[in-house]
Amino acid sequence: MAAFYAGFPETVPVRTVNRQCSSGLQAVADVAAAIRAGFYDIGIGAGLESMTTNPMGWDGSVNPKVKMFEQAQNCLLPMGITSENVAQRFGVSRKEQDQAAVESHRRAAAATAAGKFKDEIVPVTTKIVDPKTGEEKSVTISVDDGIRPGTTVSDLGRLKPVFKKDGSTTAGNSSQVTDGASAVLLMKRSVALQKGLPILGVFRTFAAVGVDPAIMGVGPAAAIPVAVKAAGLELDDIDLFEINEAFASQFVYCRNKLGLDPEKINVNGGAMAIGHPLGSTGARCVATLLHEMKKRGRDCRFGVISMCIGTGMGAAAVFESGDCADELCNARKVDDLLLSKDARLK
């Protein structure tokens, strides 16, 4: 239905993807894999979420046997509890979490003021209804509206924990309830050149890994090394990271666990400021990463996107700047019908 509203003809097939918080990135990875396999030459990996209209909780029933197996039962834990588990198990303090949130808002506000998001945001005109008066008016949304430039550690320190009485996860150091949609256009390099389209980036590798559901937020710390290794790279080769800030606790843990330079991560803010519309986040991060890499030029060659996934997983993908992709220098010589694992799209 959405495809028809968007103007696509009936001859264009579509399908839905669900991998919780990484669904947008999974859609991009699926399209890239299908192009590599020769199933088609052009595809769109997209995601959306309306968290204001769709409840995040599960009201249906589950198999009673779930309660007999702890790890299966932990898949049903509220995400906020998994955040508390990460903070408690790995010693992430409330102050560290609040500081991370403040920095996310500061960077997002600065990026917005500098117009850094203009190239990746498509303005949307819609109607809103005043809940008090019932008055309807037309508005055009062109900036993220959850960013709070004046956020301070002292302000956040006054917020009460949401999920656990003596916990540290608050509304201020968690990703917010946000509506959003995003899309990434992928195609063979030869097709892009034929059509005269600019190449923002090259999809290199993707990895999804499993982790303990009770601490699902550690997913990026497990997934990033796998994806980076598959690309034939080291962590130090990565110039920029977009790591989803589902909760400050898991974001801080993953950053510290991998020993990443804070100046390379979420340089324009993250989900604590911009929001985390679950299905959209992965594709949104691709847009944010590739546009920032383009702005930085040839000094910024490789970027990584990663996020934790509810029920206990992590996903990550490696991208290369479109201006830097070279001839298949790292590809093994194979039959013409096959590309090596590290071969770039041509």
Side-chain angles (χ1 to χ4, degrees), residues 23-292:
S23 297
L25 181 59
Q26 186 67 59
V28 171
D30 285 359
V31 170
I35 291 174
R36 276 181 172 160
F39 296 160
Y40 44 77
D41 292 337
I42 303 173
I44 296 174
L48 65 92
E49 199 78 52
S50 179
M51 298 178 77
T52 58
T53 57
N54 294 327
M56 293 298 106
W58 169 246
D59 295 327
S61 60
V62 296
N63 192 316
K65 290 185 178 180
V66 166
K67 297 181 179 180
M68 299 169 57
F69 190 49
E70 184 180 2
Q71 281 189 303
Q73 192 170 3
N74 285 343
C75 289
L76 301 175
L77 285 174
M79 294 298 95
I81 295 299
T82 71
S83 171
E84 293 289 4
N85 291 343
V86 170
Q88 183 176 7
R89 189 175 303 187
F90 301 107
V92 183
S93 69
R94 167 73 181 267
K95 184 177 180 180
E96 286 180 293
Q97 295 175 59
D98 288 347
Q99 286 174 333
V102 168
E103 184 64 11
S104 183
H105 282 280
R106 186 191 70 78
R107 293 184 180 190
T112 300
K116 286 194 171 185
F117 294 132
K118 285 185 178 179
D119 290 340
E120 65 186 80
I121 293 180
V122 178
V124 174
T125 299
T126 186
K127 294 179 180 179
I128 61 171
V129 178
D130 188 311
K132 294 182 179 179
T133 65
E135 181 186 357
E136 184 180 277
K137 67 177 181 178
S138 177
V139 295
T140 298
I141 309 299
S142 59
V143 296
D144 296 298
D145 58 8
I147 302 169
R148 300 187 297 276
T151 301
T152 66
V153 172
S154 60
D155 289 339
L156 295 185
R158 289 193 285 270
L159 297 177
K160 295 181 179 180
V162 178
F163 302 97
K164 193 177 178 182
K165 187 175 181 180
D166 59 346
S168 57
T169 299
T170 71
N173 57 35
S174 306
S175 56
Q176 56 196 273
V177 173
T178 307
D179 295 344
S182 52
V184 179
L185 177 65
L186 299 99
M187 65 187 70
K188 284 185 175 181
R189 176 180 292 276
S190 58
V191 175
L193 294 174
Q194 180 184 352
K195 292 181 176 295
L197 297 174
I199 300 173
L200 271 179
V202 182
F203 184 95
R204 290 291 302 270
T205 59
F206 170 80
V209 302
V211 297
D212 182 351
I215 50 171
M216 67 90 202
V218 305
I224 290 173
V226 176
V228 170
K229 184 178 180 181
L233 302 170
E234 303 287 341
L235 282 177
D236 289 342
D237 295 321
I238 307 303
D239 301 296
L240 282 178
F241 293 85
E242 282 290 328
I243 300 178
N244 186 46
E245 300 166 351
F247 298 96
S249 61
Q250 56 84 211
F251 170 73
V252 171
Y253 166 78
C254 293
R255 181 189 67 194
N256 295 345
K257 176 66 176 178
L258 297 177
L260 303 180
D261 181 355
E263 296 304 313
K264 290 184 176 182
I265 314 171
N266 299 354
V267 296
N268 294 320
M272 284 184 283
I274 297 171
H276 172 34
L278 310 185
S280 173
T281 287
R284 194 280 299 172
C285 286
V286 174
T288 301
L289 176 75
L290 293 183
H291 280 91
E292 182 62 26

Side-chain angles (χ1 to χ4, degrees), residues 335-346:
D335 185 88
D336 289 341
L337 295 178
L338 298 174
L339 286 174
S340 76
K341 180 174 67 174
D342 293 329
R344 301 179 182 86
L345 296 182
K346 292 295 288 182

